Amino acid sequence: MPGSLEIPELHVEGGDDLHTIVHLLGRHGVDMSQGKRPIHIIAAKTVNDLLETIPIAVSAASSRPVGFVLDIDVPVTDRWAQVRHRLCEAEVKPPDQCPASGFIGRRAGYPSDVGVWLMPDCITDHGKLEYLLTTLIPTNDKLWPHAQASTDKAKKFGAAFSDAGRDKASIHAWLAWQKEPGLPFGTAIKARFLGHDSPQALAFLRWLHRLF
């Protein structure tokens, strides 16, 4: 196995992102067992930590591709402005808007690509990983509308999650009702409670394939 300095790096926002990507790739036939992963996935603690990592990781990755996956969380123009600022610090010249297919560019004079994906689809204001996960719920699943309605009802009864956290609250409710209740996102993909091939997931995987 190559030394860790030769393995491409993917920097993500946190553990949910890391395990979701590991098991999504596993469902698509990539060996993601420890010690054999073709990508070294590194979880940051916060989105601000990840943004600060961008210029450092790009500078350190001169001979291998490096990628970054962030939730949009805010208006997409605001998140992309933050990413562009950090990429420019690393002498990468990104476009004014994040491409819908994900950004892949290169630092002048360096042989390897730099990529950015904004969850879930690079274009949706206030988007998050959880929205992509909702697209992996089986089509016509009868529990999913009930989980959404129950979450909305809980909000009326005083549940403290924010409007932006609705998808996260809803999918956790749905996961709580599966055969093995409450599995983490990545484990739910591995256990096949969640699927692996929605259009949104495939678009993200195409970006990964192009980058790495």
Side-chain angles (χ1 to χ4, degrees):
M1 177 178 163
S4 60
L5 291 178
E6 300 175 25
I7 299 175
E9 286 185 353
L10 183 66
H11 296 260
V12 302
E13 236 181 270
D16 281 341
D17 305 78
L18 186 155
H19 293 295
T20 294
I21 293 168
V22 164
H23 292 296
L24 194 57
L25 287 170
R27 288 283 300 275
H28 283 267
V30 179
D31 188 350
M32 296 300 289
S33 54
Q34 289 288 353
K36 295 184 179 180
R37 295 179 183 177
I39 307 169
H40 182 37
I41 306 177
I42 303 167
K45 293 181 180 179
T46 68
V47 66
N48 287 333
D49 288 340
L50 182 51
L51 286 164
E52 291 178 6
T53 295
I54 290 175
I56 300 167
V58 171
S59 297
S62 58
S63 62
R64 52 185 163 77
V66 60
F68 305 91
V69 177
L70 306 85
D71 282 349
I72 295 173
D73 279 330
V74 294
V76 67
T77 52
D78 293 352
R79 177 65 78 223
W80 185 241
Q82 293 175 317
V83 171
R84 285 188 81 253
H85 174 69
R86 298 300 185 175
L87 289 172
C88 289
E89 284 184 353
E91 301 178 25
V92 178
K93 295 182 178 180
D96 291 338
Q97 296 180 330
C98 183
S101 58
F103 168 72
I104 295 178
R106 188 168 289 189
R107 186 180 183 185
Y110 281 66
S112 298
D113 287 333
V114 176
V116 177
W117 183 270
L118 302 182
M119 279 289 177
D121 56 8
C122 296
I123 59 174
T124 298
D125 289 340
H126 305 284
K128 297 176 181 286
L129 168 71
E130 286 77 18
Y131 175 75
L132 184 141
L133 291 165
T134 67
T135 72
L136 301 178
I137 293 172
T139 304
N140 299 323
D141 180 274
K142 294 181 179 179
L143 281 177
W144 177 233
H146 183 54
Q148 292 174 298
S150 297
T151 300
D152 291 340
K153 190 172 184 179
K155 182 71 169 175
K156 293 178 181 178
F157 288 161
F161 62 87
S162 66
D163 291 342
R166 179 180 181 269
D167 281 342
K168 187 171 187 176
S170 297
I171 196 167
H172 276 293
W174 183 84
L175 286 169
W177 300 334
Q178 303 308 303
K179 186 176 181 180
E180 296 178 59
L183 290 181
F185 297 147
T187 310
I189 293 172
K190 182 180 181 181
R192 298 177 182 266
F193 296 152
L194 290 168
H196 67 289
D197 59 357
S198 69
Q200 294 85 347
L202 293 177
F204 170 63
L205 290 169
R206 283 194 295 270
W207 171 81
L208 277 180
H209 179 73
R210 286 165 48 221
L211 178 60
F212 297 121

Coordinates of all heavy atoms in Angstrom, one line a residue, residues 113-185:
D113 N -5.2 17.8 -9.0 CA -6.5 18.5 -8.9 C -6.9 18.8 -7.5 O -6.5 18.1 -6.6 CB -7.6 17.8 -9.6 CG -7.5 17.7 -11.1 OD1 -6.9 18.7 -11.7 OD2 -8.0 16.8 -11.8
V114 N -7.7 19.9 -7.4 CA -8.3 20.3 -6.2 C -9.8 20.4 -6.4 O -10.2 20.9 -7.4 CB -7.8 21.7 -5.7 CG1 -8.6 22.2 -4.5 CG2 -6.3 21.7 -5.5
G115 N -10.6 19.8 -5.5 CA -12.0 19.7 -5.8 C -12.8 20.2 -4.6 O -12.4 20.0 -3.4
V116 N -14.0 20.7 -4.8 CA -15.0 21.1 -3.8 C -16.4 20.6 -4.2 O -16.8 20.8 -5.3 CB -15.0 22.6 -3.6 CG1 -16.0 23.0 -2.5 CG2 -13.6 23.1 -3.1
W117 N -17.1 20.0 -3.2 CA -18.5 19.7 -3.4 C -19.2 20.3 -2.2 O -18.8 20.2 -1.1 CB -18.7 18.2 -3.4 CG -20.1 17.8 -3.6 CD1 -21.1 17.6 -2.7 CD2 -20.8 17.6 -4.9 NE1 -22.3 17.3 -3.2 CE2 -22.1 17.3 -4.6 CE3 -20.3 17.6 -6.2 CZ2 -23.0 17.0 -5.6 CZ3 -21.2 17.3 -7.2 CH2 -22.6 17.0 -6.9
L118 N -20.3 21.0 -2.6 CA -21.2 21.6 -1.6 C -22.4 20.7 -1.4 O -23.2 20.6 -2.4 CB -21.6 23.0 -1.9 CG -20.4 24.0 -2.1 CD1 -21.0 25.4 -2.5 CD2 -19.5 24.1 -0.9
M119 N -22.6 20.1 -0.3 CA -23.8 19.2 0.0 C -25.1 20.1 0.0 O -25.1 21.1 0.7 CB -23.6 18.5 1.3 CG -22.7 17.3 1.2 SD -23.5 16.0 0.3 CE -22.2 14.7 0.3
P120 N -26.1 19.5 -0.6 CA -26.2 18.2 -1.2 C -26.0 18.2 -2.7 O -25.7 17.2 -3.3 CB -27.7 17.8 -1.0 CG -28.4 19.2 -1.1 CD -27.5 20.2 -0.5
D121 N -26.0 19.4 -3.4 CA -26.0 19.4 -4.9 C -25.3 20.6 -5.5 O -25.5 20.9 -6.6 CB -27.5 19.4 -5.4 CG -28.3 20.5 -4.8 OD1 -27.8 21.4 -4.2 OD2 -29.5 20.5 -5.0
C122 N -24.6 21.3 -4.6 CA -23.8 22.5 -5.1 C -24.6 23.7 -5.4 O -24.1 24.8 -5.8 CB -22.9 22.2 -6.2 SG -21.6 20.9 -5.8
I123 N -25.9 23.7 -5.4 CA -26.8 24.8 -5.9 C -27.9 25.2 -4.9 O -28.4 26.3 -5.1 CB -27.4 24.5 -7.3 CG1 -28.3 23.2 -7.2 CG2 -26.3 24.3 -8.3 CD1 -29.0 23.0 -8.5
T124 N -28.3 24.4 -3.9 CA -29.5 24.6 -3.1 C -29.2 25.4 -1.9 O -28.4 24.9 -1.1 CB -30.2 23.3 -2.8 OG1 -30.5 22.6 -3.9 CG2 -31.4 23.5 -1.9
D125 N -29.8 26.6 -1.8 CA -29.6 27.4 -0.5 C -29.9 26.5 0.7 O -30.9 25.8 0.7 CB -30.5 28.6 -0.6 CG -30.1 29.6 -1.6 OD1 -28.9 29.6 -2.0 OD2 -30.9 30.5 -2.0
H126 N -29.1 26.7 1.7 CA -29.3 26.0 3.0 C -29.3 24.5 3.0 O -29.8 23.8 3.8 CB -30.6 26.5 3.7 CG -30.7 28.0 3.8 ND1 -30.0 28.7 4.8 CD2 -31.4 28.9 3.0 CE1 -30.3 30.0 4.6 NE2 -31.1 30.2 3.6
G127 N -28.6 24.0 1.9 CA -28.6 22.5 1.8 C -27.7 21.9 2.8 O -26.7 22.5 3.3
K128 N -27.9 20.6 3.0 CA -27.1 19.8 4.0 C -27.0 18.4 3.5 O -27.7 17.9 2.6 CB -27.8 19.8 5.4 CG -28.0 21.1 6.0 CD -28.8 21.0 7.3 CE -29.0 22.3 8.0 NZ -27.8 22.8 8.7
L129 N -26.1 17.6 4.2 CA -25.9 16.2 3.9 C -27.3 15.5 4.1 O -27.6 14.6 3.3 CB -24.9 15.6 4.9 CG -24.8 14.1 5.0 CD1 -24.2 13.5 3.8 CD2 -24.0 13.7 6.3
E130 N -28.1 15.9 5.1 CA -29.3 15.1 5.4 C -30.3 15.2 4.2 O -31.0 14.2 4.0 CB -30.0 15.7 6.6 CG -29.3 15.3 7.9 CD -28.0 16.2 8.2 OE1 -27.9 17.2 7.5 OE2 -27.2 15.8 9.0
Y131 N -30.2 16.2 3.4 CA -31.1 16.2 2.2 C -30.7 15.1 1.2 O -31.6 14.4 0.7 CB -31.1 17.6 1.5 CG -32.0 17.5 0.2 CD1 -33.4 17.5 0.3 CD2 -31.4 17.3 -1.0 CE1 -34.1 17.3 -0.8 CE2 -32.1 17.2 -2.2 CZ -33.5 17.2 -2.1 OH -34.3 17.1 -3.2
L132 N -29.4 15.0 1.0 CA -29.0 13.9 0.1 C -29.4 12.5 0.7 O -29.9 11.7 -0.1 CB -27.5 13.9 -0.1 CG -26.9 12.9 -1.0 CD1 -25.8 13.5 -1.9 CD2 -26.4 11.7 -0.3
L133 N -29.3 12.4 2.0 CA -29.7 11.1 2.6 C -31.2 10.8 2.4 O -31.6 9.7 2.2 CB -29.4 11.1 4.1 CG -27.9 11.1 4.4 CD1 -27.6 11.4 5.8 CD2 -27.3 9.7 4.1
T134 N -32.1 11.9 2.5 CA -33.5 11.7 2.3 C -33.8 11.1 0.9 O -34.8 10.4 0.7 CB -34.3 13.0 2.5 OG1 -34.0 13.9 1.5 CG2 -34.1 13.5 3.9
T135 N -32.9 11.4 -0.1 CA -33.1 10.9 -1.5 C -32.8 9.4 -1.5 O -33.1 8.8 -2.6 CB -32.3 11.7 -2.5 OG1 -30.9 11.4 -2.3 CG2 -32.5 13.2 -2.4
L136 N -32.2 8.9 -0.5 CA -31.8 7.5 -0.5 C -32.9 6.6 0.2 O -32.8 5.4 0.2 CB -30.5 7.3 0.2 CG -29.3 8.0 -0.4 CD1 -28.0 7.7 0.4 CD2 -29.1 7.6 -1.9
I137 N -33.9 7.3 0.7 CA -35.0 6.5 1.3 C -35.8 5.8 0.1 O -36.0 6.5 -0.9 CB -36.0 7.5 2.1 CG1 -35.2 8.0 3.3 CG2 -37.3 6.8 2.5 CD1 -36.0 9.1 4.1
P138 N -36.1 4.6 0.3 CA -36.8 3.9 -0.8 C -38.0 4.6 -1.4 O -38.8 5.1 -0.6 CB -37.1 2.5 -0.2 CG -36.1 2.3 0.9 CD -35.9 3.7 1.4
T139 N -38.1 4.6 -2.7 CA -39.3 5.2 -3.3 C -40.6 4.6 -2.8 O -40.7 3.4 -2.6 CB -39.2 5.0 -4.8 OG1 -38.0 5.5 -5.3 CG2 -40.4 5.7 -5.6
N140 N -41.6 5.4 -2.6 CA -42.9 5.0 -2.1 C -42.9 4.4 -0.7 O -43.8 3.7 -0.3 CB -43.6 4.0 -3.1 CG -43.8 4.6 -4.4 OD1 -44.1 5.8 -4.5 ND2 -43.6 3.8 -5.5
D141 N -41.8 4.6 0.1 CA -41.8 4.2 1.5 C -42.9 4.9 2.3 O -43.0 6.1 2.2 CB -40.4 4.5 2.1 CG -40.3 4.1 3.5 OD1 -40.7 4.9 4.4 OD2 -39.8 3.0 3.8
K142 N -43.7 4.1 2.9 CA -44.9 4.7 3.6 C -44.5 5.4 4.9 O -45.3 6.2 5.4 CB -45.9 3.6 3.8 CG -46.5 3.1 2.5 CD -47.6 2.0 2.8 CE -48.2 1.5 1.5 NZ -49.2 0.4 1.7
L143 N -43.4 5.0 5.5 CA -43.1 5.6 6.8 C -42.5 7.0 6.6 O -42.6 7.8 7.6 CB -42.0 4.7 7.5 CG -42.6 3.5 8.3 CD1 -41.4 2.7 8.9 CD2 -43.5 3.9 9.4
W144 N -41.9 7.3 5.5 CA -41.2 8.6 5.3 C -42.2 9.8 5.4 O -41.9 10.7 6.1 CB -40.4 8.6 4.0 CG -39.8 9.9 3.7 CD1 -39.9 10.7 2.6 CD2 -38.9 10.7 4.6 NE1 -39.1 11.8 2.7 CE2 -38.5 11.9 3.9 CE3 -38.4 10.5 5.9 CZ2 -37.7 12.8 4.4 CZ3 -37.6 11.4 6.4 CH2 -37.2 12.6 5.7
P145 N -43.3 9.8 4.7 CA -44.3 10.9 4.9 C -44.8 11.0 6.3 O -45.0 12.1 6.8 CB -45.4 10.5 3.9 CG -44.8 9.6 2.9 CD -43.8 8.8 3.6
H146 N -44.9 9.8 7.0 CA -45.3 9.9 8.4 C -44.3 10.5 9.3 O -44.6 11.2 10.2 CB -45.7 8.4 8.8 CG -46.2 8.4 10.2 ND1 -47.3 9.1 10.7 CD2 -45.8 7.6 11.3 CE1 -47.5 8.8 11.9 NE2 -46.6 7.9 12.3
A147 N -43.0 10.2 9.0 CA -41.9 10.7 9.8 C -41.9 12.3 9.6 O -41.6 13.0 10.5 CB -40.6 10.1 9.3
Q148 N -42.1 12.7 8.3 CA -42.1 14.2 8.1 C -43.3 14.8 8.8 O -43.1 15.9 9.5 CB -42.2 14.4 6.6 CG -40.9 14.0 5.8 CD -41.1 14.2 4.3 OE1 -42.0 13.5 3.7 NE2 -40.4 15.1 3.7
A149 N -44.4 14.2 8.7 CA -45.6 14.8 9.4 C -45.5 14.8 10.9 O -45.8 15.8 11.6 CB -46.9 14.0 9.0
S150 N -44.9 13.7 11.4 CA -44.7 13.6 12.9 C -43.7 14.7 13.4 O -43.8 15.2 14.4 CB -44.2 12.2 13.3 OG -45.2 11.3 12.9
T151 N -42.7 14.9 12.5 CA -41.7 15.9 12.9 C -42.3 17.3 12.9 O -42.0 18.1 13.8 CB -40.5 15.8 11.9 OG1 -39.9 14.5 11.9 CG2 -39.4 16.9 12.2
D152 N -43.1 17.6 11.9 CA -43.8 18.9 11.9 C -44.7 19.0 13.1 O -44.8 20.1 13.7 CB -44.6 19.0 10.6 CG -43.7 19.2 9.4 OD1 -42.5 19.5 9.5 OD2 -44.1 18.9 8.2
K153 N -45.4 18.0 13.4 CA -46.3 18.0 14.6 C -45.5 18.2 15.9 O -45.9 19.0 16.8 CB -47.1 16.7 14.7 CG -48.2 16.8 15.7 CD -49.1 15.5 15.6 CE -50.3 15.6 16.5 NZ -51.1 14.4 16.4
A154 N -44.3 17.6 16.0 CA -43.5 17.8 17.2 C -43.0 19.2 17.3 O -42.9 19.8 18.4 CB -42.3 16.8 17.1
K155 N -42.8 19.8 16.1 CA -42.4 21.2 16.1 C -43.5 22.1 16.7 O -43.2 23.0 17.5 CB -42.1 21.7 14.7 CG -41.6 23.1 14.6 CD -40.2 23.3 15.1 CE -39.6 24.6 14.7 NZ -38.3 24.9 15.3
K156 N -44.7 21.8 16.4 CA -45.9 22.6 16.9 C -46.0 22.4 18.4 O -46.5 23.2 19.1 CB -47.1 22.2 16.2 CG -47.2 22.6 14.7 CD -48.4 22.1 14.0 CE -48.4 22.5 12.6 NZ -49.6 22.0 11.8
F157 N -45.6 21.2 18.9 CA -45.7 20.9 20.3 C -44.5 21.4 21.1 O -44.4 21.2 22.3 CB -45.8 19.4 20.5 CG -47.1 18.8 20.2 CD1 -47.3 17.5 19.9 CD2 -48.3 19.6 20.0 CE1 -48.5 16.9 19.6 CE2 -49.5 19.1 19.7 CZ -49.6 17.7 19.4
G158 N -43.6 22.1 20.4 CA -42.4 22.7 21.1 C -41.1 22.1 20.9 O -40.1 22.5 21.6
A159 N -41.0 21.2 20.0 CA -39.6 20.6 19.7 C -38.7 21.7 19.2 O -39.1 22.6 18.5 CB -39.7 19.6 18.5
A160 N -37.5 21.7 19.7 CA -36.6 22.8 19.7 C -35.7 22.9 18.4 O -35.0 23.9 18.2 CB -35.7 22.9 20.9
F161 N -35.8 21.9 17.5 CA -35.0 22.0 16.3 C -35.4 23.1 15.4 O -36.5 23.6 15.4 CB -35.0 20.7 15.5 CG -36.4 20.3 15.0 CD1 -36.8 20.8 13.8 CD2 -37.2 19.5 15.7 CE1 -38.0 20.5 13.2 CE2 -38.5 19.1 15.2 CZ -38.9 19.6 14.0
S162 N -34.4 23.7 14.7 CA -34.7 24.9 13.9 C -35.3 24.4 12.6 O -35.4 23.2 12.2 CB -33.4 25.6 13.5 OG -32.5 24.7 12.7
D163 N -35.9 25.3 11.8 CA -36.5 25.0 10.5 C -35.4 24.4 9.6 O -35.7 23.4 8.8 CB -37.1 26.2 9.9 CG -38.3 26.8 10.6 OD1 -38.9 26.0 11.4 OD2 -38.6 27.9 10.4
A164 N -34.2 24.8 9.7 CA -33.1 24.3 8.9 C -32.8 22.8 9.2 O -32.2 22.1 8.5 CB -31.9 25.2 9.0
G165 N -33.2 22.5 10.5 CA -32.9 21.1 10.9 C -34.0 20.1 10.7 O -33.9 19.0 11.2
R166 N -35.0 20.5 9.9 CA -36.2 19.6 9.7 C -35.8 18.3 9.1 O -36.3 17.2 9.5 CB -37.3 20.4 8.9 CG -38.5 19.5 8.6 CD -39.5 20.3 7.8 NE -40.7 19.5 7.5 CZ -40.9 18.7 6.5 NH1 -39.9 18.6 5.6 NH2 -42.0 18.0 6.3
D167 N -35.0 18.4 8.0 CA -34.7 17.1 7.3 C -33.9 16.2 8.2 O -34.1 15.0 8.3 CB -33.8 17.4 6.1 CG -34.6 17.9 4.9 OD1 -35.9 17.7 4.9 OD2 -34.0 18.4 3.9
K168 N -33.0 16.8 9.0 CA -32.2 15.9 10.0 C -33.1 15.3 11.0 O -33.0 14.1 11.3 CB -31.2 16.8 10.6 CG -30.2 16.0 11.5 CD -29.0 16.8 12.0 CE -28.0 16.0 12.7 NZ -26.8 16.8 13.0
A169 N -34.1 16.1 11.6 CA -35.0 15.5 12.6 C -35.9 14.5 11.9 O -36.1 13.4 12.5 CB -35.8 16.7 13.2
S170 N -36.3 14.7 10.7 CA -37.2 13.8 10.0 C -36.6 12.4 9.7 O -37.1 11.4 10.0 CB -37.8 14.4 8.8 OG -38.6 15.5 9.0
I171 N -35.3 12.5 9.3 CA -34.6 11.2 8.9 C -34.2 10.5 10.1 O -34.3 9.2 10.1 CB -33.5 11.5 7.9 CG1 -33.1 10.2 7.3 CG2 -32.3 12.1 8.6 CD1 -32.1 10.3 6.1
H172 N -33.9 11.2 11.2 CA -33.7 10.4 12.5 C -34.9 9.7 13.0 O -34.9 8.6 13.5 CB -33.1 11.4 13.5 CG -31.6 11.6 13.4 ND1 -30.7 10.6 13.6 CD2 -30.9 12.7 13.1 CE1 -29.5 11.0 13.5 NE2 -29.6 12.3 13.1
A173 N -36.1 10.4 12.8 CA -37.3 9.8 13.2 C -37.6 8.5 12.3 O -37.9 7.5 12.9 CB -38.5 10.7 13.0
W174 N -37.3 8.6 11.0 CA -37.5 7.5 10.1 C -36.6 6.4 10.5 O -37.0 5.2 10.5 CB -37.3 8.0 8.7 CG -37.5 6.9 7.7 CD1 -38.7 6.6 7.1 CD2 -36.5 6.1 7.0 NE1 -38.5 5.6 6.2 CE2 -37.2 5.3 6.1 CE3 -35.1 6.0 7.2 CZ2 -36.5 4.4 5.3 CZ3 -34.4 5.1 6.4 CH2 -35.1 4.3 5.5
L175 N -35.3 6.7 10.8 CA -34.4 5.6 11.1 C -34.7 5.0 12.5 O -34.4 3.8 12.7 CB -33.0 6.2 11.2 CG -32.3 6.6 9.9 CD1 -31.1 7.4 10.1 CD2 -32.0 5.3 9.1
A176 N -35.4 5.7 13.3 CA -35.8 5.1 14.6 C -36.8 4.0 14.5 O -37.0 3.2 15.4 CB -36.3 6.2 15.6
W177 N -37.5 4.0 13.3 CA -38.6 3.0 13.1 C -38.2 1.8 12.3 O -39.0 1.0 11.9 CB -39.8 3.7 12.5 CG -40.3 4.8 13.3 CD1 -40.3 5.0 14.7 CD2 -41.1 6.0 12.8 NE1 -40.9 6.1 15.1 CE2 -41.4 6.8 14.0 CE3 -41.5 6.4 11.6 CZ2 -42.1 8.0 13.9 CZ3 -42.2 7.6 11.5 CH2 -42.5 8.4 12.6
Q178 N -36.9 1.7 12.0 CA -36.4 0.6 11.2 C -36.2 -0.7 12.0 O -36.3 -0.6 13.2 CB -35.1 1.0 10.4 CG -35.3 2.2 9.6 CD -36.5 2.1 8.6 OE1 -36.6 1.2 7.8 NE2 -37.4 3.1 8.7
K179 N -35.9 -1.8 11.3 CA -35.7 -3.0 12.0 C -34.7 -3.0 13.1 O -34.8 -3.6 14.2 CB -35.4 -4.1 11.0 CG -35.3 -5.5 11.6 CD -35.0 -6.6 10.6 CE -35.0 -8.0 11.2 NZ -34.8 -9.0 10.1
E180 N -33.6 -2.2 12.8 CA -32.6 -1.9 13.8 C -32.7 -0.4 14.1 O -32.1 0.4 13.4 CB -31.2 -2.3 13.4 CG -31.0 -3.8 13.1 CD -29.6 -4.0 12.6 OE1 -28.6 -3.7 13.3 OE2 -29.5 -4.6 11.5
P181 N -33.4 0.0 15.1 CA -33.7 1.4 15.3 C -32.5 2.3 15.6 O -31.6 1.9 16.3 CB -34.6 1.4 16.6 CG -35.2 0.0 16.7 CD -34.1 -0.9 16.1
G182 N -32.5 3.5 14.9 CA -31.6 4.5 15.2 C -30.1 4.3 14.7 O -29.2 4.9 15.3
L183 N -30.0 3.6 13.6 CA -28.6 3.4 13.1 C -28.1 4.7 12.6 O -28.8 5.6 12.1 CB -28.6 2.4 12.0 CG -28.8 0.9 12.3 CD1 -28.8 0.1 11.0 CD2 -27.8 0.4 13.3
P184 N -26.7 5.0 12.8 CA -26.1 6.1 12.2 C -26.3 6.1 10.6 O -26.5 5.0 10.1 CB -24.7 6.0 12.6 CG -24.6 5.1 13.7 CD -25.8 4.2 13.5
F185 N -26.1 7.3 10.0 CA -26.4 7.4 8.6 C -25.6 6.4 7.8 O -26.1 5.6 6.9 CB -26.1 8.8 8.1 CG -26.9 9.9 8.7 CD1 -26.4 11.1 8.9 CD2 -28.2 9.6 9.0 CE1 -27.2 12.1 9.5 CE2 -29.0 10.6 9.6 CZ -28.5 11.9 9.8

